[in-house]
Amino acid sequence: MTAGRLAERASPAAHTSAVPRVRPATPRDLDAVVALRIALLREHPDHPIYGRLRTEVDRRARELFAAQLRARTETIFLAELAAEVVGIVRCVESIGSPLLEPARYAYVSSAYVRPDVRRRGVLRALMSEVERWCVARGLDQMRLHNV
């Protein structure tokens, strides 16, 4: 067992039965966004695409995710338990094909919950917020990208 796994088990969020709190990420949350999204990729070392992380992944991730946090057509939601960020999901308002319906839809990606707090309703809370985000934008279709 790695030190990181021990730290996860000792975290306050791992021992709470509280309801997850979901909120939009801000640029101040960049460290948490990078940590969770890189953790998602690292859970799949044998994946033919996502298992091929570059050595400078952290630097590149900071640049990419900072730009996503500033984008007007997308949002990143964070879930908290005991005031600790434990989950993430990204939503992008996307333009559909000019040949197909719908004209616009929500592209949902990077859904991740820390292993030590899974099965506690965190992803359910994140997806409920995604659904509200879609309704507020008049998007009636979601497309989930998964690893």
Side-chain angles (χ1 to χ4, degrees), residues 2-51:
T2 66
R5 295 296 244 177
L6 290 172
E8 286 176 358
R9 288 189 177 177
S11 72
H15 303 291
T16 184
S17 61
V19 175
R21 176 180 168 263
V22 177
R23 63 176 177 79
T26 70
R28 292 185 310 273
D29 295 308
L30 182 59
D31 289 339
V33 169
V34 169
L36 290 171
R37 290 188 60 190
I38 295 298
L40 168 63
L41 295 173
R42 288 196 169 126
E43 275 198 19
H44 301 280
D46 298 326
H47 191 280
I49 296 170
Y50 303 113

Side-chain angles (χ1 to χ4, degrees), residues 52-71:
R52 300 169 54 193
L53 295 177
R54 295 176 185 251
T55 55
E56 67 278 10
V57 67
D58 292 319
R59 179 189 56 78
R60 287 175 180 252
R62 290 188 73 75
E63 293 171 11
L64 174 62
F65 303 155
Q68 291 173 352
L69 286 166
R70 292 188 305 268

Side-chain angles (χ1 to χ4, degrees), residues 101-117:
E101 292 290 344
R104 297 168 33 249
Y105 64 92
Y107 174 80
V108 181
S109 68
S110 303
Y112 179 76
V113 175
R114 279 190 357 211
D116 61 309
V117 295

